[in-house]
Amino acid sequence: MRRLFPLLALLLLLAVYLVMDGRNYMAGGAFCIAVMTKFFPAYAIFLLVAYLYNRDRTAFIRSLSQAVIGAFVMLGLILLPDIIQGNVDVAFGFLTNRIGSVSDSADSFVDTLSSGGYTVVMLLQPLVFAIQFYLAYRMAKYDGCDRDGRFLKLMALSTLAVFLWTPTPVYLLVPLPFLMVLAVVYERRYLRPLMFLIVSATVYELVILNVSTLLQLDVYYGLVSSEYIISVAEWFNDMFFMEFSNFMALSILAGFFLTIAIYLILFIFFKDEYESRRASHA
């Protein structure tokens, strides 16, 4: 599953590039592949539609129709083998299996975080959709001279807002390219929060992977010894406080800092929006 997220980020980047370049059929097809890979990019559809509307309101219906046709053609191609075999429902297993997994019992601490996290994700959906609608509204009403720049900024925040709760940091590979564009090209004040996000996500990922990273360093490169790996594994299992092991404590701490980094970036944006609107009405 983890290997899908770099591909997912590239597909969403491709869809954004194609829609900015006016190749709506291909943009719809790329977006369809991204959504069929993982459902997360579907949240960006509101912002994409708003961009098409803002770019050329007179040709909006035509542009949107082209993107929809491209998406459905690609969907047909993806489902063609399943249609021939009569197993179309299997193609949507990434949705039905995910919903079913919410009620499954957890066998480990990481599973507990993940299964409980899905409940939190569902509770956060009204806030996620509210942010998506607001960003799309701001895009549709934008009347400045740098439409593409504004679109990329809002896309960074749109993709980040999907992960208000992040069960595993690998999910952040989806918004990371857009956040890098935002921080490096357009708004330098996002650079420090972005670095905080990257460091927190890296530490969290290393904690979740536990000793598996060390095992790879031992097997493929011989950089660490087996005795050292065993000692690290034993330290992870040692009790930190009451029934909390060192592994549990580090996971909670790393996840906390990662969540703070996500909300900090969103806070900076909405603070700027509030001050800008307040100044325009003064």
Side-chain angles (χ1 to χ4, degrees), residues 2 109-110 113 169 200-213 235-236 246-255:
R2 292 175 180 270
F109 178 70
V110 175
L113 285 179
S200 301
T202 302
V203 173
Y204 192 16
E205 182 74 3
L206 289 174
V207 171
I208 289 178
L209 292 176
N210 208 322
V211 297
S212 60
T213 303
W235 182 85
F236 270 118
N246 289 327
F247 172 71
M248 293 180 183
L250 285 176
S251 298
I252 293 173
L253 186 63

Side-chain angles (χ1 to χ4, degrees), residues 107-223:
D107 297 326
S108 68
F109 178 70
V110 175
D111 292 335
T112 302
L113 285 179
S114 299
S115 59
Y118 295 133
T119 303
V120 176
V121 167
M122 297 306 296
L123 293 175
L124 286 173
Q125 288 309 294
L127 178 58
V128 172
F129 277 103
I131 294 175
Q132 301 299 332
F133 289 143
Y134 176 79
L135 296 176
Y137 172 78
R138 299 301 298 168
M139 184 70 248
K141 293 294 184 180
Y142 180 72
D143 58 356
C145 58
D146 188 12
R147 180 188 301 110
D148 290 347
R150 178 68 170 175
F151 176 51
L152 290 173
K153 294 177 191 177
L154 296 181
M155 183 59 70
L157 298 160
S158 173
T159 51
L160 182 65
V162 176
F163 306 108
L164 295 180
W165 174 268
T166 310
T168 59
V170 71
Y171 289 8
L172 295 177
L173 287 174
V174 178
L176 186 59
F178 299 102
L179 289 170
M180 293 176 69
V181 172
L182 171 64
V184 176
V185 179
Y186 293 104
E187 304 286 348
R188 300 285 292 183
R189 64 179 175 275
Y190 285 97
L191 192 55
R192 289 183 180 179
L194 176 60
M195 294 303 299
F196 181 37
L197 176 73
I198 293 173
V199 172
S200 301
T202 302
V203 173
Y204 192 16
E205 182 74 3
L206 289 174
V207 171
I208 289 178
L209 292 176
N210 208 322
V211 297
S212 60
T213 303
L214 296 177
L215 286 172
Q216 295 178 28
L217 292 176
D218 179 28
V219 173
Y220 294 107
Y221 305 104
L223 296 178

Side-chain angles (χ1 to χ4, degrees), residues 91-105:
F92 296 94
F94 70 98
L95 278 178
T96 57
N97 293 341
R98 180 66 66 186
I99 294 172
S101 67
V102 175
S103 59
D104 293 341
S105 59

Side-chain angles (χ1 to χ4, degrees), residues 33 79 177 210 226 275:
I33 299 176
L79 296 181
N210 208 322
S226 301
E275 292 177 350

